[in-house]
Amino acid sequence: MADDTLQISFQNEKPLPVGELGKLLEDLGGDYHRVTGSHLVLSNVITGSTLLILQDVITTVGSGAETVSAVLAAAENLHSFSKRLKDYLKSSKTPPILSDAYKHPSPVMKTGERLAKISIEQKTPFGLKYHRDDKGESIEFNYNPSEAAEIRENIKLERMMRKEALTTSRLRIAGPAPQYRLEGPSTNAQDAQSFRVPALGVDQSEAAVLIWVNV
């Protein structure tokens, strides 16, 4: 049977701020739903070094024969999310290239950036662990604060590049703003005195219409 828990750890020497853990859980929940369509729930928290134990919500419902399929489905969701996060953090260790600016942002970007932020500010390594017994497959990674700083800087750079690319694309679509030139008043005093705009409706001859349009 597959393991039905995902573990995220911080090797902190002092307690982590509750606010930061709350924001992390919020980002985890949002990103997990984007990747899997399911929801993540907090199963347990172990303090000292901080360990968050998380489960897919579908493992908390069902009974009997449904339990087996639920655990397998949860395992697939947890595996998919863990792999996405591992690959994203690994790729974020190197600076983004120009083509990255035109790609959709990763669905796990918020979680990756939040983990890096906590690691930097609290000066603590962080990691993830997930193991599937049924397939003998494990996903695990660990990063120290200096690596977290590189990751966060590259995430910020990619976001800035994407913003600039979007602005440039919008300008190209819109094209240059139309230019209008206003004619100044006539400098010919005689023309100004002798010229009178005809009233359309009284005289609608071709000559009168042309004079009115020119004015």
Side-chain angles (χ1 to χ4, degrees):
M1 184 61 65
D3 189 357
D4 65 347
T5 62
L6 168 67
Q7 299 179 10
I8 292 180
S9 61
F10 294 95
Q11 299 174 32
N12 50 298
E13 297 180 358
K14 58 181 181 179
L16 297 179
V18 172
E20 285 301 314
L21 288 178
K23 292 174 183 176
L24 172 60
L25 290 172
E26 183 178 356
D27 290 338
L28 276 165
D31 288 354
Y32 188 82
H33 183 65
R34 275 186 284 275
V35 172
T36 68
S38 187
H39 295 280
L40 202 60
V41 295
L42 183 62
S43 174
N44 197 6
V45 179
I46 298 175
T47 59
S49 290
T50 303
L51 180 65
L52 305 177
I53 302 177
L54 305 149
Q55 289 182 295
D56 191 290
V57 68
I58 62 177
T59 60
T60 64
V61 297
S63 60
E66 294 179 356
T67 303
V68 175
S69 61
V71 171
L72 290 175
E76 189 61 36
N77 288 340
L78 292 169
H79 175 267
S80 178
F81 178 77
S82 300
K83 188 174 188 307
R84 275 289 190 98
L85 186 56
K86 179 180 180 179
D87 292 345
Y88 178 67
L89 290 172
K90 182 179 179 180
S91 66
S92 296
K93 287 196 67 180
T94 57
I97 59 177
L98 183 59
S99 61
D100 293 332
Y102 297 92
K103 297 177 181 177
H104 290 293
S106 170
V108 298
M109 182 180 70
K110 288 185 177 181
T111 296
E113 187 171 18
R114 183 70 62 183
L115 287 168
K117 180 178 183 293
I118 294 174
S119 177
I120 296 164
E121 294 179 350
Q122 303 302 318
K123 298 179 176 60
T124 175
F126 72 92
L128 174 147
K129 186 175 183 180
Y130 176 70
H131 177 72
R132 295 211 305 188
D133 291 328
D134 58 333
K135 295 187 177 181
E137 183 177 13
S138 294
I139 295 177
E140 186 173 358
F141 60 76
N142 292 281
Y143 290 102
N144 59 47
S146 62
E147 291 173 311
E150 292 178 2
I151 289 170
R152 194 180 185 202
E153 189 64 29
N154 290 331
I155 292 174
K156 287 182 176 181
L157 179 58
E158 182 182 342
R159 184 184 291 112
M160 183 183 70
M161 290 170 60
R162 186 177 293 110
K163 183 178 180 180
E164 290 178 352
L166 180 60
T167 300
T168 301
S169 297
R170 286 175 175 171
L171 289 174
R172 286 176 179 172
I173 292 172
Q179 301 296 317
Y180 299 99
R181 183 169 62 89
L182 297 178
E183 295 290 350
S186 173
T187 58
N188 190 318
Q190 185 176 357
D191 289 346
Q193 291 176 1
S194 62
F195 182 76
R196 185 177 64 178
V197 180
L200 288 179
V202 176
D203 180 4
Q204 295 192 9
S205 65
E206 181 178 0
V209 171
L210 287 175
I211 291 172
W212 191 89
V213 169
N214 285 331
V215 173

